[in-house]
Amino acid sequence: MSLRLAIVIMSACGVISDAILIAFYPQFFAMRYGVTSTVHVGAYIATISIAVMVTLPLWARVARHVETMHLVFVTQGLAGLLGMASVMTETVAAFWAVTMLMFMTKSSYLLMFPYLMRVERAETHSATVGLLAVVVHLAGIFGAMAGGLLLQRFGADACLFAMAAGDFAQMALCLHVIRAGKVVGVLGSTASSSRHRHGTLPRVLRLSVLMLLFDFSAYLIRPFFSVYWETTTGIADRTLTGLVFAIPGLMALLALWLDRQKRTGLSGTLINLILGGVGLVLQAAPWATAILIGRCLYGWALFRVSVKLEVTLFRISTPQAYARDFSIANGFQNLGVLLSSFCAGYVVEQLGMTSPFLLAAAGLLLTAVASHLIFPTRRRLSPAPSCQTEHAN
């Protein structure tokens, strides 16, 4: 197994583990602890974002002294153990404490992404980002469907066991790659080119603000979509709910296939943000057909814009700064998800289930405006000077 394939599979395992409950936390807390507050669910999802946002930069610093694959091997093992321990928690407070520690340890697997970009050639970055984005979306499909099936047929504990299994699978893959001698060492070059690392920071921060706006808007509808779908359509099949929740993953696969066939006509960031806004408005309509069409448009836009932003990040960064810049951008993204989670719980409680879709649509339009203010010309998105890409022979 090649290093690239191992990292792709590890990413899929991590996303599946995260996606098992992400669409079903309202049902999970109601089933396991009798908690039905929408604000509580929004706060829990937001706190997950805080845990990742705080710890990922710390793991990036540790990765300056420990090879990334060795680090992830240890942290994913700990995350799996904490996931198993969460099954035994009898109170909501204990569940919060154990699972937040779990998310803090497992966040290190996100370093696999900048690590892979370091060992890949620069000309393959766009294809690699697209591939990983599709893998993430498809893993989200499988995770959401599996979560719905497990929750409906086997109960809440089965979901927690499945999440822990994903962490142990990542640990096993790390061990396989290490023992097979496939690890590409990158520690020797992390101390060089500090001037260029600092030179990329202003543009990375500007791009990160744009990512924050986009992620806030894109994920505002996520915490309560499953409840909204079941309430609006009257369909209580949670496996089907998981599939509808994961429609954006199917659209990501379609977009990647069209890219490979050179048939993608809608690739501009502005038009995709507009399509995403239209898709969000359609999802606010009280008809299943409109929701499904809107879900497709939203999924297309989510994939196209997120890939564009990720590719831009690695264009304006340098290999020596990939882990740092990625952790910064990811922190802003998680801040956007955090804010959206807090707002979602409050907005749903005060204004109803359809309001997050309309607010999210307005947010995508604001993102379009902000992109022209922050990066007014294509020239400002050009690669940073003196960027030397490392790759494995």
Side-chain angles (χ1 to χ4, degrees):
M1 181 185 296
S2 68
L3 177 63
R4 187 172 189 259
L5 178 59
I7 292 176
V8 169
I9 296 175
M10 286 176 60
S11 299
C13 290
V15 173
I16 290 171
S17 177
D18 291 341
I20 283 174
L21 277 177
I22 196 64
F24 300 103
Y25 276 120
Q27 296 93 326
F28 172 83
F29 279 111
M31 181 184 297
R32 200 166 199 264
Y33 298 108
V35 177
T36 58
S37 170
T38 58
V39 174
H40 175 270
V41 174
Y44 181 80
I45 296 174
T47 307
I48 293 175
S49 298
I50 293 175
V52 175
M53 183 173 61
V54 169
T55 54
L56 184 58
L58 299 178
W59 294 130
R61 285 184 172 273
V62 174
R64 295 180 185 178
H65 308 285
V66 180
E67 288 292 354
T68 304
M69 196 66 67
H70 294 80
L71 172 64
V72 174
F73 168 75
V74 174
T75 55
Q76 297 315 298
L78 291 173
L81 292 173
L82 288 166
M84 298 288 286
S86 70
V87 179
M88 297 180 287
T89 56
E90 297 182 355
T91 66
V92 174
F95 180 80
W96 270 66
V98 173
T99 54
M100 288 308 146
L101 286 174
M102 177 189 73
F103 285 114
M104 290 171 72
T105 54
K106 77 186 301 180
S107 66
S108 65
Y109 89 85
L110 294 171
L111 292 177
M112 289 286 97
F113 188 29
Y115 173 72
L116 178 60
M117 299 300 280
R118 287 196 69 170
V119 302
E120 289 278 303
R121 291 180 173 84
E123 56 268 23
T124 68
H125 280 185
S126 182
T128 300
V129 170
L131 173 63
L132 285 172
V134 168
V135 168
V136 166
H137 280 79
L138 291 179
I141 290 178
F142 181 81
M145 291 181 65
L149 179 64
L150 289 171
L151 192 64
Q152 182 169 304
R153 296 192 178 181
F154 302 102
D157 288 356
C159 294
L160 298 177
F161 280 121
M163 291 173 68
D167 297 326
F168 287 130
Q170 287 181 291
M171 183 184 70
L173 283 167
C174 283
L175 182 61
H176 171 75
V177 171
I178 293 169
R179 286 187 171 180
K182 300 289 187 179
V183 175
V184 178
V186 296
L187 293 182
S189 59
T190 55
S192 62
S193 303
S194 61
R195 179 172 58 86
H196 296 311
R197 289 203 306 271
H198 291 298
T200 65
L201 189 57
R203 292 200 292 180
V204 168
L205 289 174
R206 292 198 298 270
L207 181 64
S208 297
V209 171
L210 196 61
M211 288 177 161
L212 185 155
L213 289 172
F214 175 71
D215 278 60
F216 172 83
S217 305
Y219 292 101
L220 187 64
I221 68 171
R222 185 176 67 173
F224 301 100
F225 178 81
S226 62
V227 176
Y228 169 77
W229 165 261
E230 293 177 357
T231 301
T232 303
T233 64
I235 301 173
D237 186 330
R238 286 175 182 166
T239 302
L240 178 61
T241 300
L243 179 60
V244 174
F245 181 85
I247 282 176
L250 296 175
M251 298 308 299
L253 183 62
L254 174 63
L256 184 66
W257 180 80
L258 290 174
D259 281 345
R260 295 287 178 89
Q261 301 297 317
K262 307 298 183 184
R263 297 176 184 174
T264 302
L266 300 175
S267 59
T269 300
L270 178 60
I271 192 171
N272 282 305
L273 287 170
I274 293 174
L275 283 175
V278 172
L280 287 164
V281 171
L282 283 174
Q283 288 180 79
W287 307 292
T289 302
I291 295 172
L292 293 174
I293 294 173
R295 197 80 180 147
C296 291
L297 293 176
Y298 163 81
W300 175 277
L302 186 66
F303 173 77
R304 300 298 301 179
V305 177
S306 61
V307 169
K308 174 68 173 180
L309 293 173
E310 294 285 358
V311 170
T312 301
L313 173 65
F314 290 103
R315 285 175 56 199
I316 66 179
S317 183
T318 61
Q320 295 79 13
Y322 278 175
R324 184 208 65 185
D325 291 346
F326 178 80
S327 67
I328 291 172
N330 187 267
F332 275 81
Q333 289 176 300
N334 276 289
L335 180 59
V337 176
L338 181 158
L339 293 173
S340 71
S341 299
F342 273 124
C343 290
Y346 179 79
V347 166
V348 167
E349 192 167 86
Q350 298 296 320
L351 302 176
M353 283 284 185
T354 60
S355 54
F357 296 99
L358 303 178
L359 290 176
L364 288 188
L365 294 180
L366 179 61
T367 303
V369 174
S371 67
H372 285 281
L373 295 176
I374 296 174
F375 294 108
T377 65
R378 291 178 62 87
R379 182 180 178 184
R380 294 184 66 181
L381 287 178
S382 60
S386 304
C387 176
Q388 299 297 322
T389 303
E390 304 163 10
H391 60 272
N393 294 322

